[in-house]
């Protein structure tokens, strides 16, 4: 009704100038975000999304290394048992992007001098060639003073680790799996009596 006073505590209506437009105070109270403010918020969100993505990628890479380390440990222990069952030396060869398993072949005395002492196990589904997770690296560091006790180790399939028919893994050392996307690493300790997964550590 005309002349009715607003209730106590209510905000006063915006004042209008003579031209019928809201006053400066009214305009300031209802203005939106500026373009610069919106751009700043978008940049901050993009940075946060990138950081979260990198963090998740690193975790996935670390989990992949852990799984591959467990698989490699189990395969080495199986290889040791297989060597005894076959009564033949078997071995692990480390390639650039994976690893494969080899067996010592019987070489006749009149065979060519460049005949390889080891050949890949191509007819075995368990000991088939394995690819590492993309971007991963596998290295083996033998213990100091431990030389590879393999006769005729020269050749394209020279094993880094030998599972002898005498039920021993040689030489003793450490297999390490790393990936540039994560500080985590998987480590497999090789002993004469078997391979064991070690706790993951950070580089």
């Amino acid at each position: 009704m005309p002349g009715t006073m607003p209730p106590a505590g209510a905000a006063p209506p915006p004042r209008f100038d003579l031209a019928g437009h809201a006053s400066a105070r009214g305009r300031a109270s209802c203005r939106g975000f500026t373009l610069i403010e919106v751009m700043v918020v978008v940049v901050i969100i993009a940075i946060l999304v990138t950081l979260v993505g990198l963090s998740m990628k690193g975790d996935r890479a670390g989990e992949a290394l852990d799984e591959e380390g467990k698989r490699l440990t189990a395969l080495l222990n199986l290889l040791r048992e297989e060597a005894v069952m076959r009564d033949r030396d078997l071995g692990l060869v480390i390639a650039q992007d994976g690893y494969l398993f080899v067996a010592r072949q019987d070489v006749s005395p009149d065979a060519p001098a460049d005949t390889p002492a080891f050949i890949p196990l191509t007819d075995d589904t368990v000991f088939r060639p394995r690819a590492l997770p993309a971007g991963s690296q596998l290295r083996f560091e033998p213990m100091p003073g431990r030389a590879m006790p393999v006769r005729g180790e020269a050749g394209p399939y020279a094993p880094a680790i030998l599972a002898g028919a005498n039920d021993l893994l040689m030489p003793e050392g450490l297999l390490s799996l790393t990936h540039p996307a994560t500080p985590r690493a998987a480590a497999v300790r090789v002993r004469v009596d078997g391979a064991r997964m070690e706790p993951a550590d950070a580089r």
Side-chain angles (χ1 to χ4, degrees):
M1 294 178 63
T4 304
M5 296 295 293
R15 298 194 304 272
F16 289 85
D17 56 21
L18 295 178
H21 300 291
S23 65
R25 179 184 299 177
R27 290 197 304 271
S29 63
C30 61
R31 73 179 181 87
F33 294 106
T34 65
L35 180 61
I36 294 179
E37 291 172 334
V38 173
M39 291 177 64
V40 169
V41 172
V42 170
V43 170
I44 293 175
I45 292 176
I47 293 174
L48 292 175
V49 170
T50 301
L51 292 176
V52 170
L54 290 175
S55 176
M56 293 178 64
K57 181 179 179 181
D59 289 339
R60 289 198 298 269
E63 292 173 0
L65 292 180
D66 187 64
E67 289 299 319
E68 190 62 40
K70 293 177 181 177
R71 181 182 298 110
L72 187 54
T73 301
L75 286 171
L76 281 173
N77 289 323
L78 284 174
L79 190 71
R80 176 176 165 234
E81 297 177 2
E82 187 72 12
V84 175
M85 292 178 59
R86 296 191 184 193
D87 193 24
R88 171 179 287 190
D89 293 342
L90 305 177
L92 170 73
V93 175
I94 298 175
Q96 184 175 0
D97 56 355
Y99 54 92
L100 66 151
F101 299 94
V102 295
R104 185 186 293 279
Q105 66 171 336
D106 297 325
V107 179
S108 61
D110 56 347
D114 58 351
T115 301
F118 289 86
I119 56 175
L121 289 172
T122 56
D123 59 345
D124 197 302
T125 57
V126 175
F127 299 111
R128 66 183 184 276
R130 306 269 179 166
L132 293 172
S136 302
Q137 293 182 339
L138 176 62
R139 294 183 303 172
F140 177 66
E141 297 180 6
M143 292 180 63
R146 302 296 178 90
M148 167 58 73
V150 179
R151 300 185 306 276
E153 63 271 16
Y157 302 115
I161 300 173
L162 178 72
N166 57 355
D167 197 22
L168 297 177
L169 283 178
M170 298 173 289
E172 294 184 320
L174 184 69
L175 278 166
S176 59
L177 278 159
T178 58
H179 193 288
T182 177
R184 295 169 58 182
V188 180
R189 178 67 62 181
V190 179
R191 300 286 189 185
V192 292
D193 59 347
R196 297 173 183 82
M197 189 86 171
E198 290 194 342
D201 60 346
R203 291 178 302 196

